[in-house]
């Protein structure tokens, strides 16, 4: 009955039990399996008698029944049995009980349908055995043993079985058959199944699929710890769970790993809890997943690359379109600029044949666009330009330079016209000359105008000469007799005592004087216009000059009932002037002020002023005379213009005084202004730049 190894014994036992053996045989065989465990001394089965606390020895192996019964009694009496039953655990090994220091005694309660059906008492050699492993093996086997006993419904039908009730035996056989079928089913399933003892985590049964996946025989797996066979992927970092399932790696016998999906289920059999682990190999699925993942990544990558390529292509296309639109717009702009140019534009090929002319060309020459295309610009030739000049144009162009010049062309109707022309080479991107461009402006009118201008200038110069000789003649021919008249009338004034005659001579003298004054003014104006560029300015103290002017005009003031005063706070006020001209200008203003003030006062003021960021000396000649209306204030500076003009005027003078004064102030780079109100008086101000 006893086999060579524990596993063989288990195999033998498990095959035999289904072969219609008796319960006694089964028990005997079951106990015999213990016999194969290393260090084992004895195994005995005590069954509980119904309705009693007593246990009777059913079978034993290796030690005779009496010894076994003695052991049981001792254990029972010292409470070990009770303790083990109450704890429902294997316990009670006490080295003193069996008087043998080297043995363990294991008490294994047989728990069937929540009740204690009996006890297996094992005696094990402490010295020879790996007790922990031995204990586990014993427990696995005893559980299996119990399972079988339960299948035979040992507990409830034990008595009946004794009576060999054929019906029950038959029923039990059915159960055994069912168990066998169940095992067949489990083995036929392609899912790996492990039955694990929940407490010890040891495998107690496996199906064929599991054994195949592990690459281990069924009995190589039974008894081993379940955790030895599985590892978590990535040490559990990316551990995947699906509801109750989880993905992990199964460690094969050859050391390789295969991915699996595992599901755990708990079952409870005879108050013992078991874990059913079912798992399937997902290597292929994983491979496919990986391939799918790789393909997906590759696809994404390619899509990304393609998208990038497309976006780049789109961008450069956009840029190209933008550039092209811009270039087209620019081209259009240039075309319209050329088309609408106020100058005639001619574009020829390198042989000088016309490829384009703008509307202005047609307007200028009378030739229509179609008439000149492919023609040579020679058609415009007036025949006035010699071959040397033509050669010069071509030499310049062939040298890559621009030619500019003026010449006469002939219109379609034969009319000659002047053009100012520029002819230049047109270069392509690679700097090659592809065309010639000629821009021509009709300057016929300008030429005529210039000619007229030259003639006018010549005439003016002639007139100027005439004027100069007229003035010279006037100066000599009028002034000489006038001086004679004035001299003789003065002599006569001293010689004649008759009042009537004296009055006549006085009139001759004053009229002559007035004529001389006017003549002098005319000559002075002409003189000042001629010499204005040559006049040399010097630094002059205005204060001193004004004092002199007052003195000179005092006589005239005294003749009238008008006072003439000078009001200056400063000692020095320097300006750059020509002394005589300065005195002439100031003299004119004082003379006018006195002349147009019948009765009142004339005040000459000089001061310093800052105006428009510049330092000025202002000389004011203020009178309380007749004043000048706003409308007349401008015209009085024009030559020969007066407020009262014509034969009915009340005042002497030829209207040149202010014109001369204005010219003198201009020469001094100064300004003259007027403030006046009729009947209230006038103030003439001369502004001259102050110098230090
Ligand atoms: P005229 O020799 O006529 O004085 P002016 O050129 O000196 O020539 O003056 C032009 C005109 O300006 C004068 O005819 C006069 O009508 C007017 N005018 C000049 N100064 C004064 C003034 N101080 N008061 C009023 N009118 C003046």
């Amino acid at each position: 009955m006893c086999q060579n190894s524990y596993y063989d014994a288990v195999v033998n036992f498990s095959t035999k039990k289904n072969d219609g053996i008796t319960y006694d045989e089964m028990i005997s065989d079951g106990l015999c399996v213990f016999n194969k465990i290393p260090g084992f001394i004895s195994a005995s089965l005590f069954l509980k008698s119904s309705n009693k606390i007593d246990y009777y020895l059913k079978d034993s192996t290796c030690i005779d029944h009496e010894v076994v019964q003695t052991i049981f009694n001792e254990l029972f009496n010292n409470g070990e049995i009770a303790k083990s039953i109450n704890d429902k655990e294997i316990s009670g090994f006490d080295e003193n009980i069996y008087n043998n220091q080297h043995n363990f005694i294991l008490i294994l309660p047989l728990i069937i349908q929540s009740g204690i059906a009996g006890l297996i008492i094992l005696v094990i050699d402490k010295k020879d055995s790996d007790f922990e492993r031995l204990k586990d093996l014993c427990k696995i086997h005893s559980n299996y043993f119990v399972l079988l006993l339960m299948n035979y419904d040992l507990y409830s039908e034990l008595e009946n079985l004794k009576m060999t009730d054929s019906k029950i035996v038959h029923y039990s056989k059915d159960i055994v058959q069912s168990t066998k079928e169940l095992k067949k089913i489990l083995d036929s399933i392609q899912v790996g199944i492990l039955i694990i003892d929940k407490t010890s985590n040891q495998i107690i049964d496996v199906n064929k699929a599991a054994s195949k996946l592990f690459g281990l025989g069924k009995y190589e797996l039974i008894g081993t710890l379940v955790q030895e066979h599985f590892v978590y992927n990535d040490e559990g970092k990316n551990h995947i769970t699906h509801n109750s399932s989880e993905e992990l790696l199964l460690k094969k016998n050859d050391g390789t790993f295969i991915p699996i999906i595992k599901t755990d289920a708990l079952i409870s059999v005879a108050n013992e809890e078991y874990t059913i682990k079912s798992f399937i190999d997902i290597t292929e699925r994983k491979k496919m997943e990986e391939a799918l993942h790789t393909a997906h990544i590759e696809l994404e990558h390619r899509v990304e690359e393609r998208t990038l390529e497309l976006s780049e292509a789109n961008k450069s296309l956009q840029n190209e379109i933008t550039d092209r639109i811009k270039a087209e717009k620019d081209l259009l702009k240039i075309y319209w600029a050329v088309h609408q140019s106020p100058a005639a534009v001619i574009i020829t090929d390198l042989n000088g044949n016309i490829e384009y002319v703008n509307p202005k060309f047609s307007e200028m020459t009378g030739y229509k666009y179609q008439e000149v295309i492919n023609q040579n610009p020679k058609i415009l030739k007036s025949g006035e330009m010699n071959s040397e000049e033509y050669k010069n144009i071509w030499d310049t162009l062939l040298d890559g330079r621009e030619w500019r010049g003026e010449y006469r062309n002939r219109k379609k109707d034969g009319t000659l016209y002047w053009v100012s022309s520029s002819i230049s080479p047109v270069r392509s991107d690679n700097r090659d000359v592809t065309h010639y461009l000629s821009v021509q402006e009709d300057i016929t009118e300008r030429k005529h105008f210039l000619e007229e201008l030259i003639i006018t200038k010549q005439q003016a110069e002639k007139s100027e000469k005439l004027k100069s000789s007229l003035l010279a003649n006037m100066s000599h021919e009028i002034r000489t007799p006038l001086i004679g008249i004035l001299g003789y009338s003065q002599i006569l004034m001293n010689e004649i005592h008759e009042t009537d005659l004296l009055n006549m001579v006085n009139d001759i003298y004053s009229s002559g004087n007035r004529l001389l004054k006017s003549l002098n003014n005319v000559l002075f104006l002409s003189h000042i216009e001629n010499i204005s560029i040559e006049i040399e300015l010097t630094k002059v103290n205005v204060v001193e000059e004004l004092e002199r002017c007052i003195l000179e005009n005092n006589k005239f003031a005294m003749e009238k009932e008008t006072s003439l005063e000078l009001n200056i706070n400063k000692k020095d006020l320097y300006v750059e002037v020509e002394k005589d001209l300065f005195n002439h200008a100031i003299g004119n203003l004082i003379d006018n002020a006195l002349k147009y003030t019948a009765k009142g006062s004339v005040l000459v003021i000089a001061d310093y002023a800052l105006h428009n960021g510049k330092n000025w000396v202002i000389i004011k000649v203020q009178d309380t005379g007749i004043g000048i209306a706003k409308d007349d204030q401008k015209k009085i500076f024009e030559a020969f213009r007066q407020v009262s003009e014509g034969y009915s005027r009340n005042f002497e003078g030829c209207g040149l005084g202010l014109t001369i004064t204005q010219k003198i102030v201009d020469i001094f780079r100064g300004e003259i202004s007027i403030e006046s109100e009729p009947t209230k008086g006038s103030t003439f101000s001369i502004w001259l730049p102050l110098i230090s």
Side-chain angles (χ1 to χ4, degrees):
M1 172 74 68
C2 292
Q3 304 297 313
N4 290 333
S5 72
Y6 170 72
Y7 296 109
D8 291 340
V10 171
V11 174
N12 190 41
F13 174 64
S14 37
T15 43
K16 259 193 159 182
K17 72 178 173 19
N18 296 326
D19 244 358
I21 57 164
T22 65
Y23 295 106
D24 288 343
E25 278 169 349
M26 185 186 74
I27 290 164
S28 163
D29 282 356
L31 289 176
C32 197
V33 174
F34 290 111
N35 202 18
K36 295 296 171 188
I37 298 171
F40 169 82
I41 294 170
S42 81
S44 342
L45 175 69
F46 290 85
L47 291 178
K48 194 180 172 195
S49 44
S50 58
N51 307 325
K52 279 194 207 166
I53 310 163
D54 295 348
Y55 288 84
Y56 62 90
L57 177 63
K58 177 68 187 158
D59 209 345
S60 67
T61 179
C62 294
I63 297 178
D64 99 26
H65 279 204
E66 264 180 53
V67 178
V68 168
Q69 192 63 58
T70 312
I71 292 168
F72 177 83
N73 291 341
E74 277 177 27
L75 293 170
F76 193 85
N77 291 337
N78 65 22
E80 288 299 326
I81 299 284
K83 194 176 157 201
S84 111
I85 290 165
N86 288 336
D87 290 351
K88 291 182 187 170
E89 280 208 11
I90 301 164
S91 61
F93 42 88
D94 188 338
E95 292 148 343
N96 296 323
I97 294 170
Y98 198 61
N99 271 343
N100 189 334
Q101 301 279 322
H102 304 292
N103 292 336
F104 292 117
I105 297 171
L106 294 180
I107 306 164
L108 304 170
L110 302 181
I111 300 156
I112 300 170
Q113 292 178 353
S114 310
I116 303 297
L119 298 162
I120 296 170
I121 296 176
L122 302 167
V123 180
I124 299 156
D125 187 349
K126 203 194 269 182
K127 189 169 57 190
D128 295 339
S129 60
D130 170 359
F131 178 68
E132 284 303 317
R133 179 163 167 73
L134 187 60
K135 190 177 84 173
D136 288 343
L137 281 176
C138 289
K139 195 181 169 193
I140 291 162
H141 185 66
S142 61
N143 280 329
Y144 185 56
F145 196 30
V146 167
L147 212 60
L148 286 171
L149 288 175
M150 188 181 73
N151 281 343
Y152 281 103
D153 205 5
L154 183 66
Y155 179 70
S156 58
E157 302 298 333
L158 203 57
E159 289 307 311
N160 296 338
L161 282 172
K162 278 181 188 167
M163 290 185 280
T164 62
D165 184 324
S166 63
K167 232 177 162 184
I168 290 170
V169 168
H170 188 70
Y171 170 68
S172 298
K173 274 183 179 173
D174 280 352
I175 294 171
V176 170
Q177 188 57 34
S178 302
T179 310
K180 195 178 163 188
E181 292 301 320
L182 191 67
K183 278 187 77 65
K184 259 188 186 170
I185 290 167
L186 286 178
D187 279 342
S188 68
I189 291 172
Q190 291 307 304
V191 176
I193 294 173
L194 296 179
I195 301 168
I196 317 289
D197 179 82
K198 194 164 178 273
T199 319
S200 66
N201 257 350
Q202 279 178 320
I203 299 168
I204 59 167
D205 203 355
V206 299
N207 73 345
K208 272 186 183 163
S211 168
K212 196 177 163 196
L213 283 171
F214 282 113
L216 284 168
K218 182 174 183 167
Y219 295 104
E220 287 174 293
L221 285 164
I222 290 174
T224 56
L225 290 169
V226 70
Q227 58 265 34
E228 288 170 9
H229 300 286
F230 298 101
V231 284
Y232 286 116
N233 239 340
D234 302 336
E235 296 169 344
K237 264 186 236 157
N238 297 322
H239 182 58
I240 302 163
T241 57
H242 319 273
N243 299 326
S244 59
S245 316
E246 57 183 350
E247 274 187 33
L248 34 83
L249 295 173
L250 179 147
K251 192 172 168 187
K252 282 175 78 81
N253 187 33
D254 60 7
T256 58
F257 293 90
I258 55 167
I260 55 151
I261 283 187
K262 173 183 78 65
T263 308
D264 284 359
L266 277 180
I267 59 161
S268 180
V269 178
N271 275 2
E272 284 288 341
E273 287 200 318
Y274 298 93
T275 307
I276 310 286
K277 284 188 188 293
S278 51
F279 47 92
I280 52 165
D281 180 359
I282 56 166
T283 310
E284 283 309 312
R285 198 184 90 182
K286 277 276 164 198
K287 272 185 194 161
M288 276 173 73
E289 271 178 13
E290 253 165 52
L292 210 64
H293 184 64
T294 314
H296 183 72
I297 289 174
E298 204 175 304
L299 196 69
E300 271 186 355
H301 187 66
R302 284 176 63 183
V303 167
E304 221 168 80
E305 270 180 0
R306 193 79 191 111
T307 311
L308 201 73
E309 273 173 30
L310 281 173
S311 129
E312 290 293 321
N314 191 34
K315 239 186 252 170
S316 70
L317 198 69
Q318 284 290 342
N319 289 344
E320 210 175 288
I321 290 169
T322 314
D323 288 352
R324 200 170 290 177
I325 289 172
K326 193 178 172 298
E328 273 171 17
K329 273 186 183 169
D330 286 351
L331 215 63
L332 214 62
K333 230 185 285 171
I334 293 164
Y335 171 77
W336 284 115
V338 171
H339 197 74
Q340 294 165 18
S341 166
V345 176
I346 307 160
I347 299 171
T348 73
D349 63 16
L350 295 180
N351 297 319
N353 295 323
I354 297 172
E355 286 191 0
Y356 171 83
V357 291
N358 69 347
K360 185 70 188 177
F361 172 87
S362 301
E363 189 191 308
M364 200 188 280
T365 62
Y367 285 107
K368 286 184 185 146
Y369 181 85
Q370 293 302 341
E371 288 175 311
V372 291
I373 294 303
N374 289 327
Q375 295 287 329
N376 195 287
K378 275 181 200 158
I379 54 167
L380 303 168
K381 246 172 148 181
S382 66
E384 291 175 357
M385 200 186 273
N386 60 37
S387 57
E388 194 56 39
E389 283 169 310
Y390 277 116
K391 188 177 176 293
N392 176 35
I393 295 176
W394 276 110
D395 285 351
T396 311
L397 293 177
L398 291 173
D399 203 28
R401 290 178 290 122
E402 182 193 6
W403 181 89
R404 274 175 188 274
E406 290 177 4
Y407 52 86
R408 266 214 293 197
N409 270 347
R410 192 179 296 280
K411 293 186 184 186
K412 190 183 172 187
D413 62 6
T415 321
L416 291 173
Y417 67 101
W418 277 97
V419 287
S420 165
S421 170
S422 90
I423 310 172
S424 49
V426 178
R427 291 177 191 278
S428 64
D429 280 349
N430 54 11
R431 306 295 301 149
D432 288 342
V433 177
T434 57
H435 294 85
Y436 293 114
L437 167 75
S438 173
V439 181
Q440 300 183 349
E441 195 188 345
D442 187 342
I443 55 163
T444 314
E445 277 199 16
R446 203 195 300 166
K447 280 269 183 196
H448 289 159
F449 179 71
L450 209 67
E451 278 165 14
E452 276 171 20
L453 210 67
I454 291 165
I455 294 165
T456 313
K457 190 178 169 244
Q458 285 166 350
Q459 283 171 348
E461 279 168 1
K462 213 170 156 188
S463 309
E464 191 60 30
K465 270 184 194 161
L466 261 163
K467 188 184 124 193
S468 298
S469 66
L470 174 80
L471 288 173
N473 287 345
M474 263 175 72
S475 176
H476 185 258
E477 291 303 317
I478 302 174
R479 209 191 277 192
T480 314
L482 206 54
I483 298 291
I485 293 167
L486 285 174
Y488 285 117
S489 56
Q490 251 178 333
I491 296 168
L492 285 173
M493 273 194 288
N494 293 328
E495 298 295 323
I496 295 170
H497 299 290
E498 264 179 67
T499 315
D500 286 353
L501 286 174
L502 193 63
N503 282 344
M504 274 189 244
V505 173
N506 263 336
D507 276 354
I508 292 169
Y509 180 78
S510 62
S511 297
N513 224 358
R514 189 173 160 188
L515 189 60
L516 183 66
K517 216 172 170 186
S518 294
L519 182 66
N520 281 342
N521 268 342
V522 171
L523 291 174
F524 193 79
L525 181 64
S526 150
H527 170 70
I528 208 168
E529 275 173 350
N530 288 336
I531 61 150
S532 59
I533 320 157
E534 302 144 26
I535 293 166
E536 204 178 307
L537 307 182
T538 52
K539 186 177 171 181
V540 171
N541 186 357
V542 163
V543 182
E544 287 170 11
E545 292 309 311
L546 289 176
E547 280 167 355
R548 191 171 302 128
C549 282
I550 294 291
L551 277 177
E552 279 173 12
N553 285 282
N554 249 342
K555 193 179 162 227
F556 183 34
M558 271 153 46
E559 283 170 11
K560 305 192 74 176
E561 284 177 59
T562 304
S563 65
L564 175 62
E565 280 172 28
L566 182 67
N567 184 358
I568 306 177
N569 295 329
K570 310 275 180 313
K571 213 172 112 204
D572 304 311
L573 283 171
Y574 286 100
V575 291
E576 246 184 356
V577 294
E578 199 283 324
K579 253 188 200 174
D580 291 340
L581 290 180
F582 178 79
N583 289 334
H584 196 107
I586 299 297
N588 276 349
L589 294 184
I590 294 172
D591 190 57
N592 278 348
L594 290 170
K595 187 160 71 175
Y596 299 107
T597 308
K599 201 175 172 185
S601 65
V602 173
L603 188 62
V604 178
I605 307 162
D607 206 349
Y608 151 86
L610 181 73
H611 182 65
N612 283 346
K614 272 169 100 179
N615 294 313
W616 300 88
V617 170
I618 317 171
I619 303 141
K620 290 186 176 181
V621 180
Q622 226 170 49
D623 66 54
T624 55
I626 60 169
I628 306 158
K630 200 95 194 149
D631 291 346
D632 296 322
Q633 287 177 11
K634 236 183 184 172
K635 78 172 183 191
I636 56 172
F637 289 96
E638 292 170 25
F640 306 108
R641 297 301 303 272
Q642 294 167 314
V643 173
S644 118
E645 291 170 336
Y647 297 109
S648 59
R649 59 200 177 89
N650 309 318
F651 298 95
E652 286 182 4
C654 63
L656 284 177
L658 287 178
T659 314
I660 291 167
T661 307
Q662 168 89 69
K663 289 227 182 287
I664 293 170
V665 173
D666 286 347
I667 292 166
F668 297 162
R669 292 183 287 273
E671 277 171 29
I672 186 164
S673 62
I674 175 177
E675 286 170 73
S676 182
E677 211 180 312
T679 70
K680 297 249 168 92
S682 312
T683 302
F684 286 84
S685 304
I686 291 177
W687 299 64
L688 298 173
L690 172 82
I691 58 159
S692 46

